[in-house]
Amino acid sequence: MNRVGIGVDVHQFAAGRKLILGGVELSHDRGLVGHSDADVLAHAVADALLGAAALGDIGKFYPDTDMKWKDLDSMVILDDIAERFGRLQARINNIDATVIAQEPKLAPQIPAMQRVMAGHLKIEPAQLGVKATTSEWLGFTGRKEGILAVAVASVELEPC
Ligand SMILES: [Zn+2]
């Protein structure tokens, strides 16, 4: 049975933080704030996958009230989802994600993000689309206050 899921995530910029998107550290004067490494793209992808399997969201599995997940490398979340999907015999068809950020320019790093996230999810990079756009200087992303990421996932699930 084919299922789709959606994931949306937002994190705020702050000085003195690393900027990590799709498991790739980017060079930028600011990074994103969060309990984990604040990888907004990985979180949107994770929520799309969990949503497709109707499992809930990452807040349920990796609550930001739990010190265990403090500064968590979000690739651990993708590893965990790949394992969960293995147990459920769920197969990822494809994922498509868009990052909305006024800065920095993401295009040069997109192939690396696809490769890294696909590796953790045990799929091919061609099954994981990543796109980047700006919001034309409008809203919180346009004011460079933060980054928004949206993802959809198509998953093949065994009928229950
Ligand atoms: Zn997040």
Side-chain angles (χ1 to χ4, degrees), residues 81-97:
I81 289 174
E83 210 183 287
R84 234 173 250 283
F85 271 35
R87 285 199 300 271
L88 289 170
Q89 292 183 287
R91 200 169 45 76
I92 298 168
N93 292 323
N94 78 301
I95 298 164
D96 186 28

Side-chain angles (χ1 to χ4, degrees), residues 9-11 36 38-40 43 58:
D9 197 33
V10 171
H11 283 268
S36 66
D39 188 333
V40 67
H43 294 176
I58 57 173

Side-chain angles (χ1 to χ4, degrees), residues 4-107:
V4 294
I6 185 167
V8 178
D9 197 33
V10 171
H11 283 268
Q12 193 181 353
F13 272 124
R17 291 275 304 183
K18 286 181 186 169
L19 178 58
I20 297 166
L21 288 177
V24 176
E25 189 176 335
L26 306 179
S27 96
H28 193 51
D29 59 342
R30 295 178 304 159
L32 296 173
V33 182
H35 186 69
S36 66
D37 63 2
D39 188 333
V40 67
L41 172 57
H43 294 176
V45 165
D47 263 353
L49 289 167
L50 291 172
L55 291 173
D57 61 28
I58 57 173
K60 173 177 153 191
F61 293 102
Y62 319 97
D64 62 8
T65 47
D66 190 338
M67 286 311 285
K68 193 167 119 190
W69 308 117
K70 179 100 176 70
D71 299 321
L72 174 75
D73 173 353
S74 295
M75 293 306 105
V76 170
I77 296 176
L78 299 190
D79 291 336
D80 188 56
I81 289 174
E83 210 183 287
R84 234 173 250 283
F85 271 35
R87 285 199 300 271
L88 289 170
Q89 292 183 287
R91 200 169 45 76
I92 298 168
N93 292 323
N94 78 301
I95 298 164
D96 186 28
T98 299
V99 180
I100 300 157
Q102 201 64 43
E103 61 175 29
K105 271 259 170 296
L106 303 178

